Amino acid sequence: MIGVEYVAGFFDGEGCVSLARQKSYFRSPRWSLVVNASNSDPTPLEAIAARWGGRVRSTSRASDSHPGYLWQHVWTCPAKQVEPFLRAIRPYAIVKADQIDLALKFVALGPTVAKRLGADARVTQLREFIYL
């Protein structure tokens, strides 16, 4: 099994924590928290997927004009595993520590579709603050 310390270091260099807001004219915005990592070697990504779930997708950008381009492999953390994954690697993260902290605050706010699930305006304001 892959060590948490290794995963934290790997994620510091190759990972991404991103937050997206989709506006809607009929209801509160819909939010998405995406956690992924990419590399030209799928081996560490497959080990991460074996421990935390998700899948590794592979794409090639090679073309006639760029035949030497390597394959890119991307692991995406499943939504239900984002919080456990980030909590596990947080003590060892350096570069992405602040992003992980904000992501965990975002997760703590609860469901991401505000009006449909009855969230109040304060939660929406907090999400906006974290997003900015």
Side-chain angles (χ1 to χ4, degrees), residues 106-130:
F106 180 83
V107 168
L109 292 173
T112 58
V113 182
K115 279 194 175 174
R116 196 168 69 200
L117 298 173
D120 62 16
R122 184 173 175 340
V123 170
T124 301
Q125 288 175 338
L126 288 170
R127 286 191 199 285
E128 292 286 341
F129 178 76
I130 291 170

Side-chain angles (χ1 to χ4, degrees), residues 3-12 51-52 82-101 104:
V4 176
E5 297 89 348
Y6 175 84
V7 173
F10 183 85
F11 191 79
D12 260 352
R51 182 158 182 181
W52 278 284
V82 166
E83 184 175 13
F85 173 74
L86 293 177
R87 287 200 185 285
I89 67 168
R90 174 56 186 94
Y92 310 103
I94 298 169
V95 176
K96 301 261 185 328
D98 291 343
Q99 293 175 13
I100 291 170
D101 289 342
L104 290 171

Side-chain angles (χ1 to χ4, degrees), residues 28-47:
S28 295
R30 181 182 174 115
W31 299 90
S32 300
L33 176 62
V34 178
V35 173
N36 60 31
S38 62
N39 200 285
S40 59
D41 182 352
T43 308
L45 301 169
E46 290 166 353

